[in-house]
Amino acid sequence: MISTWSLLMRKLLWISLFVAGAASAADAVAPTPAPQSNDAVINMLKSANLSFDVDWNGIPLGDAIINLIPQGKGCYRYESQTRPVGAVRWLYGSPQEVSEFCVKDGVIRPSRYEYNIDKRPKDEFTLSFDWAAKKVTTVKGGKTTVRDLPDVAYDRFGMQQAIRLWVMSVPDTTKRTEAEFVSVDAKDINHYRFAILGHEKVETSVGTIDAIRIDRIDSKTRSTHSWVAPSRDFQVIKLESVNRGDVELKMLTNK
């Protein structure tokens, strides 16, 4: 269980669960969501404090706290802290992700991303985005690399907010709608596809919540199912990581 927690929390934590495999070049490419006005995007983004129970194959692993914090007009700090229980915490530690971004020309522009874990410093890395030069600088294990950036891209954690904004902009969320997003990780820059699949009821410890289901659809073996609640500013209330049809990791709101 420890190695499984390590793999998932390092590569799949929260919306980074969406980027477990690259899209096939043979698959049809979904359109990238169109930019909105700066004011519209800023009005959609609000501060948030989220809390989730985390299970692996039905075994409680601990909880995760997610915060979205405004940092001046149009800029935000998006952070997560996992709190594993028992031997998981003692042996592996407590992962943390931070995405700092601003809204420009109606698009989320990440400025800095950090992945930290107290027990496994060799897995830590940072991303620094320079949009004027269209470059991203990665620092991992004392090694620095610089890569070119496409016109629009997100770090693997902050991408969750970009997906959220896309769902909020879709006129009819009862109909299937697809979109593509570009994710920057420690080594790769990949394209991923998501589909809105309609509305479903989600049972939680705080009641039944109407939510919109979003699936990652670019991998034949791995997927992620997430549910965002319109009554909660379209924040995620449930997320499942699926491997060959089996739900491995589940995160469910507990407040």
Side-chain angles (χ1 to χ4, degrees):
M1 186 174 70
I2 303 302
S3 61
T4 299
W5 174 268
S6 171
L7 176 62
L8 290 175
M9 288 300 100
R10 177 166 54 89
K11 290 189 175 180
L12 307 179
L13 179 62
W14 195 235
I15 220 56
S16 35
L17 285 161
F18 285 124
V19 297
S24 168
D27 292 335
V29 176
T32 300
Q36 303 175 66
S37 72
N38 261 27
D39 288 344
V41 173
I42 292 169
N43 287 337
M44 292 177 185
L45 291 169
K46 299 177 181 178
S47 61
N49 176 257
L50 312 174
S51 178
F52 301 85
D53 293 322
V54 183
D55 292 346
W56 167 255
N57 284 330
I59 301 172
L61 293 182
D63 60 13
I65 305 299
I66 312 290
N67 292 304
L68 178 62
I69 306 165
Q71 302 283 290
K73 186 176 181 180
C75 293
Y76 301 84
R77 178 182 172 92
Y78 192 41
E79 60 185 20
S80 74
Q81 180 73 52
T82 59
R83 301 187 298 192
V85 297
V88 177
R89 182 180 182 88
W90 181 69
L91 291 173
Y92 182 66
S94 180
Q96 180 187 37
E97 286 190 288
V98 175
S99 174
E100 295 178 348
F101 62 85
C102 295
V103 178
K104 185 174 183 180
D105 298 327
V107 175
I108 288 177
R109 293 293 197 192
S111 56
R112 182 173 174 81
Y113 167 86
E114 298 180 17
Y115 175 78
N116 300 301
I117 182 162
D118 48 358
K119 298 285 187 177
R120 299 176 66 87
K122 67 181 182 65
D123 291 335
E124 297 180 336
F125 69 96
T126 65
L127 301 173
S128 297
F129 294 81
D130 183 343
W131 288 102
K134 294 185 69 174
K135 302 286 185 182
V136 59
T137 301
T138 306
V139 178
K140 182 176 183 180
K143 181 180 179 181
T144 300
T145 57
V146 179
R147 291 168 287 167
D148 293 331
L149 279 171
D151 290 337
V152 179
Y154 311 96
D155 63 73
R156 66 183 193 181
F157 182 53
M159 188 171 71
Q160 192 275 332
Q161 288 300 312
I163 294 171
R164 173 183 166 230
L165 291 173
W166 163 58
V167 176
M168 294 171 76
S169 72
V170 171
D172 187 354
T173 53
T174 65
K175 297 180 180 179
R176 183 183 177 101
T177 306
E178 297 183 14
E180 178 182 275
F181 295 81
V182 180
S183 170
V184 180
D185 211 330
K187 295 182 180 179
D188 302 313
I189 298 177
N190 288 316
H191 295 246
Y192 301 97
R193 295 208 314 280
F194 302 90
I196 295 171
L197 300 182
H199 287 239
E200 297 181 1
K201 300 293 185 181
V202 176
E203 299 295 332
T204 77
S205 60
V206 295
T208 303
I209 303 173
D210 179 69
I212 301 165
R213 177 168 167 171
I214 309 154
D215 282 11
R216 194 190 122 215
I217 58 171
D218 54 69
S219 172
K220 295 180 180 179
T221 57
R222 283 194 175 273
S223 183
T224 308
H225 308 155
S226 67
W227 290 260
V228 302
S231 63
R232 297 189 173 198
D233 291 327
F234 292 80
Q235 297 287 0
V236 172
I237 59 168
K238 179 181 178 181
L239 186 144
E240 295 177 343
S241 174
V242 180
N243 183 15
R244 300 185 185 278
D246 295 325
V247 176
E248 292 182 331
L249 181 137
K250 181 171 76 173
M251 299 175 67
L252 183 65
T253 186
N254 56 25
K255 74 172 189 178

